[in-house]
Amino acid sequence: MNRYPAWKYALIVVVLLIAALYTLPNFFGEAPAVQVSSSKSTVKVDTTTLARVEQALKEANISADGITLEAGSIKARFGDVDTQGKAKDAIQKALTPDAADPAYVVALNLLSRSPAWLTSLNANPMYLGLDLRGGVHFMLQVDMQAALTKRAESLAGDIRLSLREKNIRHGGIARNGQAIEIRFRDSATLTSAKNLIQDQIPDLQMVEAPDGTDYKLTATIKPEAARRIQDQALKQNMVTLHNRINELGVAEPVIQQQGIDRIVVQLPGVQDTAKAKDILGRTATLEMRLVEDSAEARAAESGSGPVPFGSERFFERNGQAVIVKKQVILTGENLTDAQPGFDSQNQQPKVDLTVDAKGGRIMRDTSRENLKKRMAILLFEKGKGEVLTAPVIQGELGNRFQISGSMSVNEASDLALLLRAGSLAAPMDIIEERTIGPTLGAENITKGFHSVSWGFAVIVAFMATYYMLFGLFSGIALAVNLLLLVAVLSMLQATLTLPGMAAMALALGMAIDSNVLINERIREELRNGASPQAAIHAGYERAWATILDSNISTLIAGLALLAFGSGPVRGFAVVHCIGILTSMFSAVFFSRGLVNLWYGRQKKLKTVSIGTVWRPPSEGGLAKS
Amino acid sequence: MEFFKIRRDIPFMRHALIFNLISFVTFALAVFFLFSRGLHLSVEFTGGTLMEVNYTQAADVGKIRDTVAGLGLNDVQVQNFGTSRDVMIRLPAQKGVSTAQQSDTVLAALKTASPDVTLRRTEFVGPQVGEELAQDGLKALAMVVFGIMVYLAFRFEWKYAVAAIIANLHDVIIILGFFAFFQWEFSLAVLAAVLAVLGYSVNESVVIFDRIRENFRRYRKMNTEEIINNAITSTISRTIITHGSTQIMVLSMLLFGGPTLFYFALALTIGILFGIYSSVFVAAAIAMWLGIKREDLIKGPAKKDEDPNDPNAGATV
């Protein structure tokens, strides 16, 4: 009786070891660090940048505790704040010689000090929510109706163009909300138009209806296409936001989709909301212009002559100067899509561009007149322009054309992204905003920590006095529960918030319930005259059904909170639910393991240390402790 | 140590009617205050701007109020928050004015009035978000009530489910009543606390119901009232110790958690206090009025209502 087989102890030891391992990173604290990320969408942080950073540090005689390159940014950790400051200056000097037009953002950051072997096991500290570390939180609502309307507008133009190409006469194309209405004189034209549209634009669904003496075709975007458009709009907005936020030099921004039409942006450590909002709302613009190829321009390109009248000098990413005409052919407004792909003839990477009907018309005229000349695509950010690419016009272009040439698959997808990300796909509104000062965050951590530790200490002290050795076991089980809870939260990389810390405290308070149930039950069995071993056995067995019932009903409440809660409620619910699960393990399985280890092997157990077992004197009054 | 030296079963159910009347009156009062005063909803629900500012010296709330009112903003609330140096300002949502402008103007005005003010936190929530939050909260509440009822009906019997849920809602309404009466701020965190209490309070009822079920099987000669009395008496020590330890935790939160956790902890405190009371006098009593009896739980072969995954399912027989 009351013995665990060896495998159960092995299981306990393994679980405890894993838990300890994953809890460990939380104790190392944070080291000052310098983070390097790109400030322009055209500049990428990669291994060459890493080499430059290493070189810069070496030259400045600064040794870093570790330099890593991940997710497009370089992070270098240092021993103290002093070195961090020097390192930042050194890196900044090496990477951004032109302070007015920096290509990289060099920002101060805090990184976990946990050793590399822990990080390689994916053991990272819990992610602290903004209320614990300070920063700005925005929730942006994307105007999906605007995205759809914009799309319908460009589709109407496409239809107009296709009908004209095929010489189908119509009595007018109008956009009514998100529906496109086309009128025809006779039903034969309507049918041929319908077939054409169906063929060329599969995203539309059409309804025909007589309209007086005319025939009317109403085309609307198919629901699945609408979903796709909305999804793309959201993704594009997120990419654009990402590019813009990079400029703020925020160490670890969070840009997350929430629901179908919302984006949450969290900028830890940022206090200047005005600047943050300014940058979030800023627009980058894309322009297509012809390259000036006169002899003077060639000279200006190589730097041996002035820039000809009516043109400007811009640079490509590799620093090559390009002289382009001031006249703008098209802007990003007209660009509806850009996707990377492969040329079907020579299998080379390419980027497919789609422009709206107006853009298509301009492209056709421009390309016809400027065959075999170069056309530059410029991206303007922060008022500064840069040539993304300047391909040669190979043939007459329509509203769909491609850029191909010597580029890698990566370059093609980057270019497509840049072309798309230049501007927002749909307007956004800030519908929620929070700023938490850094001192408040630090205060919140201490307060949360104090409430957990004081409550914990008092409970353990009480349990040990009231239930003696069994109370001590319960106390150890409670500590194990805390360990498991922190380990699971760290493993899941759940965001810890102040309500989360409150849930931790509450979970501990409620976890002791299982042990109280068990201990009371054992006392009761003893009171009724059971032998100590039998009492322990029956106490655990009988309490189990109750523990299961009460924990499951609590878990139901927790899961409902998780399903419908948002923000702080969710943070609370995650910890609450995990706490219930870990408490079942620690309070029943683990604590019984301890009891079995202590008492289980004793055949002739006379007494157990579970505090007073009081019996009514009338029943013989053999009070035993 | 032993706090509970109970010789005989305490006749809790003898006074059930009186206690039920008392709960009914408190419940009715809570509902009354809820409707007459309403909840003082936080910015999260109503939409608007919230600013927390800090002064180096004790802040003059009246002066701040005048300063803010001087900006022509209506319905502004200014109150101390935590310490005398921290002040919370709530501004209602204004049409046409962005909140950034709103909070910037207010901060600028406060700075001119006294330069030692620092902004610690601003929060802005648009009205549509608030509405959604309130709806989600109600959905969560409905889900919890439904889920718990189904589970209890499955594990015990419908009468127990009804009794437990009435007892729980009783607790929840009373917490809300307190918040309405004292006009404490009802925030999202408080909502989380209320829902946690719902889960917590059902715990209590379940422990007692479990014992009632066990007693029905063990003591075949007792009548329902005696069985309930015995069940409550034999679990009362556990009930009080468990509540005590949870209360210690919550108290620790109330004392050390700072102003942000204050109302959260307060809601839990009320919930825990009423939780003991409601599971003893409300849940058990209602179960008694609904006429629980031995036959409800022991239908045919006694194991029918056990969870097949429960290794100790038979242990209580």
Side-chain angles (χ1 to χ4, degrees), chain B residues 53-263:
Chain B
V53 292
N54 174 263
Y55 286 85
T56 43
Q57 258 137 39
D60 183 352
V61 176
K63 203 176 132 198
I64 298 170
R65 204 169 278 141
D66 291 343
T67 314
V68 180
L71 293 169
L73 297 166
N74 297 317
D75 202 16
V76 177
Q77 291 173 26
V78 180
Q79 65 195 87
N80 273 324
F81 181 68
T83 67
S84 64
R85 286 177 290 124
D86 293 315
V87 178
M88 181 111 94
I89 304 165
R90 285 170 48 134
L91 314 163
Q94 253 185 317
K95 279 212 175 99
V97 182
S98 94
T99 48
Q101 290 165 359
Q102 216 182 24
S103 63
D104 289 350
T105 357
V106 172
L107 191 67
L110 291 179
K111 274 231 164 92
T112 14
S114 93
D116 65 335
V117 62
T118 47
L119 183 69
R120 285 180 35 118
R121 176 164 74 112
T122 60
E123 229 166 79
F124 152 66
V125 181
Q128 68 269 55
V129 184
E131 235 165 71
E132 266 177 40
L133 285 179
Q135 275 176 13
D136 284 352
L138 286 178
K139 270 191 217 158
L141 188 69
M143 264 296 286
V144 174
V145 169
F146 178 75
I148 289 175
M149 278 192 80
V150 168
Y151 181 72
L152 288 182
F154 172 73
R155 277 293 270 167
F156 297 89
E157 204 229 351
W158 69 268
K159 287 170 193 161
Y160 295 84
V162 171
I165 223 67
I166 292 178
N168 287 347
L169 289 178
H170 164 263
D171 296 349
V172 167
I173 298 287
I174 283 177
I175 300 177
L176 295 180
F178 267 92
F179 273 78
F181 182 78
F182 291 104
Q183 288 291 299
W184 292 329
E185 191 178 68
F186 191 85
S187 63
L188 263 184
V190 175
L191 179 70
V194 166
L195 291 167
V197 163
L198 206 52
Y200 177 75
S201 165
V202 80
N203 238 349
E204 291 308 310
S205 311
V206 165
V207 169
I208 293 175
F209 288 169
D210 255 339
R211 200 47 95 90
I212 292 176
R213 173 166 60 189
E214 196 182 321
N215 284 354
F216 268 134
R217 288 176 182 149
R218 203 196 285 176
Y219 308 111
R220 301 199 156 259
K221 280 180 193 149
M222 282 188 190
N223 64 29
T224 305
E225 195 181 319
E226 284 166 339
I227 280 197
I228 295 178
N229 283 339
N230 178 276
I232 297 175
T233 307
S234 43
T235 50
I236 194 83
S237 53
R238 168 263 156 200
T239 304
I240 291 182
I241 291 170
T242 299
H243 275 291
S245 43
T246 317
Q247 188 61 72
I248 287 170
M249 267 299 183
V250 174
L251 214 60
S252 167
M253 242 187 273
L254 203 65
L255 294 176
F256 302 105
T260 327
L261 285 183
F262 186 77
Y263 288 121

Side-chain angles (χ1 to χ4, degrees), chain A residues 202-463:
Chain A
D203 283 355
L204 288 174
Q205 59 188 11
M206 283 162 289
V207 181
E208 44 191 290
D211 181 47
T213 53
D214 288 356
Y215 295 86
K216 191 172 77 176
L217 188 64
T218 310
T220 46
I221 299 169
K222 284 183 187 163
E224 61 265 28
R227 260 199 303 281
R228 205 183 58 236
I229 292 164
Q230 297 188 355
D231 201 45
Q232 278 173 357
L234 195 84
K235 294 267 146 57
Q236 179 178 334
N237 278 10
M238 282 174 67
V239 171
T240 311
L241 281 177
H242 221 112
N243 289 337
R244 294 179 187 175
I245 285 166
N246 260 344
E247 273 177 37
L248 280 168
V250 179
E252 279 166 41
V254 174
I255 300 163
Q256 262 172 0
Q257 177 173 354
Q258 185 166 350
I260 51 163
D261 57 355
R262 288 188 182 157
I263 301 171
V264 167
V265 174
Q266 291 193 336
L267 311 171
V270 172
Q271 294 305 315
D272 190 351
T273 27
K275 192 186 170 203
K277 267 192 272 193
D278 184 43
I279 287 192
L280 291 191
R282 207 185 39 119
T283 43
T285 48
L286 198 68
E287 288 181 6
M288 295 190 198
R289 304 195 200 172
L290 281 175
V291 174
E292 175 72 59
D293 53 2
S294 57
E296 299 103 294
R298 287 277 155 75
E301 240 171 54
S302 57
S304 57
V307 179
F309 182 73
S311 352
E312 280 179 286
R313 177 164 42 189
F314 289 104
F315 292 93
E316 273 190 78
R317 261 181 284 180
N318 54 18
Q320 168 73 44
V322 181
I323 307 296
V324 295
K325 292 185 175 164
K326 276 190 175 164
Q327 190 197 356
V328 178
I329 303 167
L330 271 187
T331 66
E333 286 275 287
N334 302 98
L335 187 75
T336 52
D337 198 14
Q339 292 293 338
F342 285 99
D343 195 310
S344 54
Q345 281 157 20
N346 54 13
Q347 291 307 312
Q348 277 198 342
K350 61 161 185 175
V351 177
D352 284 311
L353 299 178
T354 315
V355 292
D356 59 9
K358 180 179 162 234
R361 212 160 42 239
I362 299 172
M363 280 314 284
R364 197 187 334 271
D365 295 343
T366 316
S367 55
R368 198 184 301 137
E369 287 155 24
N370 297 286
L371 218 56
K372 300 294 169 196
K373 288 185 182 164
R374 286 168 77 206
M375 188 180 66
I377 300 177
L378 296 142
L379 181 70
F380 285 86
E381 282 181 301
K382 273 198 287 183
K384 281 194 196 317
E386 191 173 19
V387 177
L388 290 182
T389 176
V392 178
I393 300 170
Q394 300 288 4
E396 195 180 311
L397 307 173
N399 68 328
R400 278 156 221 260
F401 52 95
Q402 64 177 55
I403 300 172
S404 56
S406 50
M407 57 181 161
S408 69
V409 181
N410 271 340
E411 278 168 350
S413 68
D414 281 356
L415 183 59
L417 188 79
L418 286 171
L419 291 171
R420 269 182 291 139
S423 56
L424 293 172
M428 288 189 292
D429 289 320
I430 295 177
I431 54 168
E432 193 184 270
E433 179 192 321
R434 273 168 230 278
T435 320
I436 298 113
T439 48
L440 187 65
E443 249 173 65
N444 280 344
I445 292 192
T446 0
K447 280 176 181 159
F449 182 74
H450 278 171
S451 27
V452 174
S453 46
W454 280 106
F456 182 84
V458 175
I459 288 184
V460 172
F462 169 77
M463 289 298 280

